Amino acid sequence: MAITRRAILLGGGVAAGALATRHVGTQLPILDGVSVIAPEGGTATLNDASRLSETPIHRHIIMRDDPSETLLSALRAELTEAAAEGRPVNLSAARHSMGGQSIPRDGHAITFESAWVEPGDGIYRTHAGTRWRDVIAALDPVNLSPKVMQTNSDFGVAATFSVNAHGWATAFGPMGSTVREIKILLADGTHVTASPNENADIFSAAMGGYGLIGLITELEVEAVPASLIEPSFEEMPAEDFSSVFQSTVGEVSMAYGRLNVDRAAFFEDALLISYRPVEGELPPASVSGFRAAITRNIFRAQVGNEWVKRRRWGLETQLGRLIAGPVSRSGIMNESVLTLLGQSDPHRTDILHEYFVAPDKFNDFLIACREIIPNSYQELLNITMRWIEQDSTSMLSFAPDGPRIASVMSFSQEMTARAEADMASMTRNLIDAVHDLGGNYYLPYRPHASVAQFSEGYARASEFAALKRELDPGLVFRNALWDRYLAEL
């Protein structure tokens, strides 16, 4: 069974508004699944989810063909033209990164928009640009569920692999640990298969390689049986969370934690929500619009309001368990990122951070956060903890030598120079503290880390850069991550 969708995109907006294209020029006709936005003597720019990364580009191309020779021919044509004129190329889906990691400055920005999924026996093959919501829609009728997927369903499958993202299914490594093979187009136009056993160096670099190794066109990924699961809620002092989390992850299907962000009790209280399989009729993996609307409204009301933050913690710890019941495993993952990050305030933007520390260092991490975050100018709205197993595959791994507790932070930041400078200072302080604990920070967010901090956190970066130069001597695959941190290695 294969599911295919061709979407018409006008003006270049995709993925629920996460991508914005501004251009002065001509929208060319859609032909053979390709739409080109090409300026005529004007300026085209792309931004990402931060709304702080507006970058000039040469051209934005939207491709909708299923994996085929037609798609490969279109990609090769872009590579040939870009290489001949010395312009970079970058391929993306939702562009939910926050520091230009998915934008080629003055180059060819390619967006995949497709929904080709072919379920198999415990696996599925999919177009690189397929969104997770479409994977769920394809797997649900055959009683399968993604083994690991990025927490929200708006993002592209290959994009998740390329940023080495993870989820909150337990106990697994990043989503890339469930990928059996990829098809990738290299800079010289060759289309190769890469896996942990075939072209393993290419696979290792492409997993978490932010599109700098080649253009992924197709993936084969592991799935698990669909299941009905029911949550349990356990409130505890924050210092107890790590040990309880560690003892729980091997016994449950999914789990995550939260901390109280009210400044009067900052990071003092923790909540563990864990899901265990139960018997019962499995409902469709649909999204709850009512639940999403309520969650979003409460989340947004926290900005500048400590009273709401206190009330939200009460709702999570008390009301959540009263209204909870059995849910589909895929259904709870089938949630749009706009539930939390959808906002229209032109003066503020949502900025994510993520830090990874060993379980036995989590309490020290709490101490560092209590010292650093409240002394900043930033408005922390949420922190969610997930469990990640060791990842020894990716060259740019954030968990190379053991499991980690991942702490995802959501800030509401003023769009001012003062706030940006304060955010940069706070970020570097947090990174230093995490590095002192033997942990690391995540790369797809604001590029506030120093070059020295990047090099300390990602010890195999020079190896990655060397392989990239071997495979792409003309450096046709470039983005802001390469330009800021890797170009001199």
Side-chain angles (χ1 to χ4, degrees), residues 258-269 302 306 309-310 312-313 379-384 410:
R258 291 270 167 79
L259 294 175
N260 189 350
V261 299
D262 167 24
R263 285 180 181 251
F266 192 75
F267 282 20
E268 293 181 3
D269 306 308
Q302 293 181 104
E306 295 300 307
K309 289 181 182 179
R310 288 192 292 273
R312 180 195 171 206
W313 184 250
E379 184 82 52
L380 179 62
L381 301 185
N382 186 70
I383 177 170
T384 301
S410 177

Side-chain angles (χ1 to χ4, degrees), residues 327-350:
V327 293
S328 159
R329 181 184 188 275
S330 290
I332 60 172
M333 295 190 289
N334 196 14
E335 192 78 74
S336 170
V337 72
L338 295 184
T339 297
L340 296 183
L341 299 185
Q343 57 127 333
S344 58
D345 187 341
H347 306 297
R348 304 192 72 90
T349 186
D350 291 310

Side-chain angles (χ1 to χ4, degrees), residues 38-299:
E40 292 180 348
T43 301
T45 64
L46 274 180
N47 214 329
D48 55 25
S50 71
R51 298 191 288 154
L52 298 171
S53 303
E54 190 167 24
T55 305
I57 60 168
H58 173 70
R59 182 158 73 210
H60 178 204
I61 310 99
I62 301 170
M63 297 187 177
R64 302 175 180 82
D65 270 300
D66 297 337
S68 64
E69 283 302 318
T70 301
L71 179 65
L72 291 175
S73 295
L75 292 172
R76 288 185 177 115
E78 292 301 321
L79 287 178
T80 299
E81 180 183 334
E85 300 186 11
R87 291 192 293 263
V89 174
N90 191 264
L91 171 62
S92 297
R95 284 191 175 85
H96 194 72
S97 57
M98 294 186 171
Q101 297 90 339
S102 58
I103 306 175
R105 179 173 290 275
D106 298 319
H108 295 231
I110 303 172
T111 296
F112 271 172
E113 178 68 12
S114 182
W116 182 88
V117 184
E118 188 175 280
D121 184 11
I123 60 169
Y124 56 96
R125 297 198 70 87
T126 184
H127 188 295
T130 301
R131 305 302 197 267
W132 285 107
R133 58 178 176 262
D134 298 309
V135 172
I136 289 173
L139 297 184
D140 205 43
V142 294
N143 293 317
L144 289 175
S145 179
K147 188 173 185 179
V148 175
M149 63 165 271
Q150 202 165 347
T151 303
N152 298 102
S153 59
D154 311 273
F155 311 126
V157 177
T160 296
F161 177 79
S162 296
V163 303
N164 210 20
H166 58 86
W168 44 289
T170 61
F172 302 112
M175 175 266 173
S177 66
T178 71
V179 175
R180 294 193 177 181
E181 69 174 35
I182 61 173
K183 303 287 188 182
I184 185 169
L185 188 69
L186 302 179
D188 64 2
T190 58
H191 192 226
V192 304
T193 299
S195 73
N197 301 312
E198 180 181 2
N199 291 314
D201 55 345
I202 294 176
F203 185 88
S204 178
M207 178 178 165
Y210 291 80
L212 293 169
I213 300 301
L215 307 178
I216 298 174
T217 59
E218 188 176 347
L219 305 90
E220 183 178 289
V221 191
E222 295 173 352
V224 296
S227 60
L228 188 69
I229 55 179
E230 187 170 31
S232 62
F233 299 77
E234 188 174 357
E235 191 176 3
M236 66 198 76
E239 282 76 12
D240 294 342
F241 178 81
S242 176
S243 60
V244 176
F245 199 19
Q246 189 167 8
S247 65
T248 301
V249 291
E251 304 172 353
V252 300
S253 175
M254 310 186 85
Y256 66 94
R258 291 270 167 79
L259 294 175
N260 189 350
V261 299
D262 167 24
R263 285 180 181 251
F266 192 75
F267 282 20
E268 293 181 3
D269 306 308
L271 178 68
L272 175 63
I273 303 97
S274 53
Y275 290 79
R276 291 169 173 79
V278 294
E279 296 295 326
E281 184 177 352
L282 191 63
S286 57
V287 178
S288 170
F290 173 76
R291 180 185 64 195
I294 294 296
T295 301
R296 180 168 55 249
N297 291 339
I298 295 174
F299 189 83

